[in-house]
């Protein structure tokens, strides 16, 4: 019988029966299982993570392999906790613990890892571990529903890893945790086996956060600013310059702004990073603006920065410190400003525009509310996203979209820039469509301030 159809009773699983005594704390009974545990988690009676690591290591060292580690978390538990109250949340955790104890095969270790996270270690290969994980998740949901603990269907996300040779218990559990993370990222209510590619990218993200913090504290010169000119198609001359951040890390290599800005946004570092990037942009401008005046400087602003009530004043103070006229600066913002807190963003944007700065809607056309955004905020221009621009030669749809964006911008009295122009063919189509300005590798790559100064001179 497969795990998915397996009943609650022990012995109905395809997991190999117990690999010896694991210092078992679980009595297998179909109803009202009693946990024969000593001095463990008060709420559930299960062992905690310290004992889990010890017992798992002992099993691995004894060579009872392979061992599958199943890392299970209730989906949206905090919502149930908040809406139903802590006593109901506690009861839900007790039900989960009891259900796990009933459902796992003889010899399994069952631990409460943290909050609503549970770990089961069982003598099984990965395929059987995944099958058991699915079974456990199903049975937990069914039990919570049967006991009417929540009006909603409660689901679990689960990650599974396997120890096949002498290995470190903590590492195996960490792998299961990474697999759990993948299950949650994938939309929850699923079981994911450990995947090296996902784990590597996740570990890189975690490393990035640490390294970014270090770089910010030390004002690491590896974080740099490049500048890419935007050209007017009226006279084929630069009319503005966009500042684009770069980070060349000695070990991680070139980290794209997409990657490290996202990491800074997730960890709240975007405010200090953003402030440093503005300063770098203004310092760079000092290098080239005499050669290229009166070029506008476009700086990218993360939507999260707009939530900071001090942001607008900090930016205005910085411009005053360097005696940069506010009319020479444009803030490029994507449509996600609309996503959460409208009021704070609106106030910040108003302070910026009242102060004389221009606002440009970046990646126009990719958000869910481009036109609504244009209505609400005082934009001076839009930048048509490169995913439409790059397909201009091959897609009638892309041509129709760009033509509409150009017309809309003209009707509204906004500037319009097409981003990501890589070929003569695309450039010619943009001319035919009447697009007023363009940016992209075909015209100029992002370059260091000194190079830009030489080019402009
Ligand atoms: P974005 O503001 O839309 O910037 C345009 C992106 O297109 C840049 O990528 C630029 O290097 C790239 N690009 C320029 N020409 C071409 C081309 O011909 N073809 C293609 N395929 N791409 C081209 P980059 O520098 O990797 O920046 C990615 C995004 O990261 C930016 O998108 C912006 O949203 C964000 N970003 C960059 N610097 C900063 C910054 O200082 N602060 C903030 N908050 N975000 C930044
Ligand atoms: Mg931009
Ligand atoms: Mg863009």
């Amino acid at each position: 019988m497969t795990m998915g159809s397996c009943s609650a009773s022990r012995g109905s699983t395809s997991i190999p029966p117990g690999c010896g005594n694991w210092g078992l704390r679980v009595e297998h009974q179909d109803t009202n299982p009693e946990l024969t545990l000593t001095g463990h988690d008060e709420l559930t009676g299960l062992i905690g993570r310290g004992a889990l690591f010890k017992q798992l290591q002992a099993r691995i060292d004894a060579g009872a392999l392979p061992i599958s580690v199943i890392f299970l978390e209730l989906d949206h538990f905090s919502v149930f906790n908040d809406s139903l109250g802590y006593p109901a949340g506690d009861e839900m955790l007790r039900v989960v613990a009891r259900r796990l104890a009933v459902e796992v095969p003889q010899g399994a270790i069952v631990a409460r890892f943290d909050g609503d996270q549970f770990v089961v270690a069982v003598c099984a290969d990965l395929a059987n571990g995944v099958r058991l994980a699915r079974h456990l998740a199903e049975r937990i949901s069914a039990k919570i529903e049967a006991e009417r603990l929540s009006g909603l269907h409660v689901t679990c996300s689960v990650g599974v890893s396997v120890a096949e040779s002498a290995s470190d218990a903590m590492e195996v559990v960490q792998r299961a945790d990474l697999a759990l993370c993948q299950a949650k990222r994938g939309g929850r209510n699923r079981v994911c086996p450990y995947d090296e590619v996902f784990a590597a990218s996740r570990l890189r993200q975690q490393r990035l956060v640490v390294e970014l913090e270090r770089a910010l504290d030390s004002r690491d010169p590896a974080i740099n600013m490049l500048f890419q000119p935007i050209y007017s198609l009226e006279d084929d001359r630069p009319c503005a310059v966009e500042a684009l951040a770069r980070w060349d890390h000695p070990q991680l290599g070139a980290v794209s702004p997409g990657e490290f800005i996202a990491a800074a946004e997730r960890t709240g570092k975007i405010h200090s990073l953003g402030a440093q990037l503005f300063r770098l942009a203004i310092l760079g401008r000092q290098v080239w603006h005499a050669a290229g005046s009166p070029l506008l400087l476009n700086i990218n602003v993360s939507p999260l920065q707009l939530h900071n009530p001090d942001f607008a004043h900090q930016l205005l103070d910085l411009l005053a410190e360097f005696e940069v006229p506010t009319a020479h600066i444009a803030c490029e913002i994507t449509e996600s400003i609309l996503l959460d807190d409208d009021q704070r963003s609106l106030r910040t944007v108003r302070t910026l525009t009242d102060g004389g700065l221009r606002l440009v809607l970046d990646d126009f056309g990719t958000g869910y509310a481009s036109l609504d955004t244009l209505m609400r905020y005082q934009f001076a221009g839009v930048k048509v996203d490169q995913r439409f621009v790059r397909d201009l030669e091959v897609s009638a749809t892309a041509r129709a979209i760009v033509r509409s964006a150009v017309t809309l911008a003209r009707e509204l009295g906004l500037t319009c820039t097409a981003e990501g122009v890589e070929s003569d063919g695309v450039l010619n189509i943009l001319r035919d469509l009447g697009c007023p300005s363009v940016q992209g590798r075909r015209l100029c790559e992002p370059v260091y301030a000194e190079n830009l100064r030489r080019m402009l001179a």
Side-chain angles (χ1 to χ4, degrees):
M1 183 183 283
T2 63
M3 263 303 150
S5 59
C6 140
S7 76
S9 63
R10 182 179 60 191
S12 60
T13 98
S14 53
I15 303 282
C19 4
N21 181 2
W22 289 42
L24 256 204
R25 298 144 315 284
V26 183
E27 290 282 48
H28 295 277
Q29 298 170 10
D30 271 6
T31 53
N32 191 19
E34 233 169 64
L35 303 172
T36 57
L37 309 175
T38 47
H40 308 297
D41 171 46
E42 256 182 48
L43 184 72
T44 61
L46 297 177
I47 56 166
R49 70 165 82 172
L52 165 73
F53 290 137
K54 260 194 214 145
Q55 294 183 18
L56 181 56
Q57 193 64 60
R59 290 292 118 191
I60 293 171
D61 293 346
L65 299 166
I67 296 172
S68 275
V69 172
I70 297 170
F71 207 124
L72 180 145
E73 185 179 311
L74 291 177
D75 292 330
H76 309 296
F77 177 66
S78 60
V79 176
F80 297 117
N81 227 357
D82 293 347
S83 57
L84 304 172
Y86 291 119
D90 286 353
E91 183 50 23
M92 206 181 276
L93 296 176
R94 277 192 289 266
V95 165
V96 174
R98 283 201 295 269
R99 198 52 5 209
L100 287 174
V102 166
E103 301 289 345
V104 294
Q106 175 95 45
I109 295 175
V110 183
R112 181 174 177 213
F113 194 80
D114 195 15
D116 60 335
Q117 295 181 327
F118 297 85
V119 172
V120 171
V122 61
C123 200
D125 62 15
L126 186 63
N128 279 322
V130 167
R131 245 176 262 149
L132 176 62
R134 290 210 178 97
H135 172 74
L136 293 176
E138 271 170 26
R139 299 297 301 155
I140 286 170
S141 297
K143 190 66 184 169
I144 291 175
E145 210 144 302
E147 304 230 342
R148 299 182 188 282
L149 290 179
S150 156
L152 299 169
H153 181 60
V154 177
T155 55
C156 307
S157 296
V158 196
V160 187
S161 70
V162 70
E164 280 169 330
S165 58
S167 44
D168 180 56
M170 202 178 286
E171 212 170 277
V172 185
V173 174
Q174 257 165 4
R175 286 182 178 190
D177 193 6
L178 279 164
L180 166 65
C181 176
Q182 186 172 5
K184 293 200 297 191
R185 289 270 174 98
R188 298 176 196 261
N189 188 19
R190 66 193 61 214
V191 175
C192 279
Y194 172 72
D195 171 45
E196 289 217 344
V197 176
F198 176 84
S201 105
R202 175 87 185 145
L203 292 174
R204 180 178 159 91
Q205 283 171 20
Q206 286 165 347
R207 171 100 191 268
L208 264 184
V209 170
V210 174
E211 294 296 324
L212 188 60
E213 201 152 324
R214 215 173 273 161
L216 286 173
D217 285 347
S218 63
R219 293 192 171 257
D220 188 344
I223 296 188
N224 238 305
M225 209 40 112
L226 297 188
F227 297 90
Q228 186 176 36
I230 296 169
Y231 292 79
S232 160
L233 286 185
E234 252 173 47
D235 56 7
D236 289 351
R237 295 173 65 82
C239 54
V241 173
E242 178 174 10
L244 292 164
R246 288 292 176 272
W247 186 18
D248 284 314
H249 188 273
Q251 283 92 40
L252 296 170
V255 187
S256 77
E259 223 182 334
F260 71 85
I261 300 250
E265 286 176 338
R266 277 198 306 277
T267 54
K269 294 282 164 205
I270 189 63
H271 304 290
S272 50
L273 173 65
Q276 281 198 29
L277 293 177
F278 285 163
R279 189 164 278 272
L280 287 174
I282 299 298
L283 286 169
R285 180 186 178 275
Q286 302 287 84
V287 175
W288 53 256
H289 94 277
S293 64
L295 290 184
L296 275 178
L297 171 63
N298 285 23
I299 48 183
N300 289 286
V301 177
S302 157
L304 290 188
Q305 289 177 276
L306 299 177
H307 289 181
N308 176 359
D310 299 329
F311 168 78
H313 292 292
Q314 284 167 357
L315 179 52
L316 291 169
D317 289 349
L318 182 72
L319 297 179
E321 182 189 334
F322 286 91
E323 298 178 356
V324 178
T326 52
H328 289 192
I329 304 293
C331 289
E332 293 194 8
I333 306 170
T334 55
E335 290 163 43
S336 33
I337 33 173
L338 274 181
L339 283 185
D340 12 59
D341 192 272
D342 260 323
Q343 287 312 311
R344 274 185 302 179
S345 301
L346 262 176
R347 264 197 301 276
T348 305
V349 162
R350 221 163 264 153
T351 312
L352 292 174
T353 47
D354 288 352
L357 282 101
R358 290 160 190 247
L359 217 58
V360 171
L361 186 53
D362 205 352
D363 304 343
F364 182 63
T366 57
Y368 73 100
S370 306
L371 301 178
D372 189 36
T373 314
L374 280 181
M375 292 258 291
R376 286 196 202 200
Y377 296 84
Q378 272 192 352
F379 281 98
V382 297
K383 294 183 78 173
V384 182
D385 193 73
Q386 48 183 269
R387 75 188 73 171
F388 306 117
V389 175
R390 72 171 169 231
D391 289 342
L392 276 177
E393 283 179 289
V394 291
S395 160
T397 311
R399 279 196 295 280
I401 290 172
V402 175
R403 185 184 295 114
S404 311
V406 169
T407 310
L408 181 72
R410 193 172 40 236
E411 295 283 316
L412 295 175
L414 307 176
T415 65
C416 178
T417 302
E419 297 187 292
V421 179
E422 293 183 351
S423 69
D424 282 335
V426 165
L427 188 57
N428 289 335
I429 294 172
L430 288 165
R431 280 187 202 281
D432 290 346
L433 294 177
C435 182
S437 58
V438 289
Q439 176 182 4
R441 286 189 197 130
R442 165 61 189 84
L443 302 127
C444 183
E445 293 272 358
V447 293
Y448 285 104
E450 185 54 40
N451 294 353
L452 181 61
R453 188 188 64 77
R454 276 200 293 271
M455 279 170 43
L456 295 172

